[in-house]
Amino acid sequence: MIKLVSLLCTLLFSSIVNSNTLLIVGDSLSAGYKMPVENSWPVLLPEKLKQQNQKIKIINASISGDTSGNGLARLPALLTKHQPDYVLLELGANDGLRGFSPDIVSNNLSAMIEQVKTKKAQPILMQLRVPTNYGKRYGDAFSSIYPSLSEEKGIPLMPFFLEYVITKPEWMMSDGLHPKEIAQPWIAEFIATELGKIIK
């Protein structure tokens, strides 16, 4: 009996040690916009990760409409509450849609990255872009924020999943900005594959 209890404790401890926590801080692209939340890609992600032999607890703190400034304001409490090992930052799209200066977005994301590092967690940045109707000059300045921060801060940069989803019009909502429910399993698998390159 003692040996059995010891074995169970060992297995439980091993499970805890080998389990990482990923906090997702994003906007409507990660919040399950206009769909049941259980069908959104962050909820589907753990099963996709499991298929890749990755055991990761997912905490989705994404809110539709959030800007990088909103995320920056919310982040300290999220880090204290959840104490994640990894933090995926998917923010800036709403800043871009409102025409905010790229410098504002960059400064906010930079501050978030530093906060995550201070908590001994690994920041992961997702590349984002604005629609082409915002003009090439603004579009280029906005999209360059992400690789620049990735290089400057020495953190992983995840590709923008929407660039692949948008090639399938039937996967996109009528606004041309948000993926439909049908696209969520593919997005979850895409994110799981990219995370597999980062989380070893």
Side-chain angles (χ1 to χ4, degrees), residues 162-180:
L162 196 62
E163 290 184 282
Y164 303 90
V165 175
I166 207 169
T167 62
K168 296 181 180 291
E170 68 274 18
W171 282 9
M172 294 296 294
M173 293 184 183
S174 58
D175 62 11
L177 298 172
H178 297 95
K180 292 180 180 177

Side-chain angles (χ1 to χ4, degrees), residues 12-97:
L12 177 61
F13 180 76
S14 176
S15 174
I16 294 171
V17 167
N18 294 326
S19 179
N20 290 305
T21 298
L22 170 69
L23 172 67
I24 303 171
V25 185
D27 50 35
S28 56
L29 293 175
S30 302
Y33 181 71
K34 288 190 175 181
M35 69 184 68
V37 68
E38 63 269 19
N39 295 333
S40 64
W41 70 259
V43 176
L44 303 177
L45 184 57
E47 182 59 32
K48 298 294 184 181
L49 288 165
K50 185 179 178 182
Q51 293 171 11
Q52 298 181 18
N53 297 316
Q54 289 265 30
K55 185 175 182 181
I56 301 173
K57 178 182 178 183
I58 307 299
I59 298 167
N60 189 15
S62 302
I63 297 178
S64 293
D66 258 14
T67 63
S68 60
N70 296 142
L72 176 59
R74 293 196 297 120
L75 186 60
L78 291 170
L79 292 173
T80 298
K81 179 179 179 180
H82 299 294
Q83 300 181 22
D85 301 289
Y86 298 87
V87 180
L88 175 58
L89 301 174
E90 181 274 298
L91 283 171
N94 288 307
D95 303 64
L97 293 176

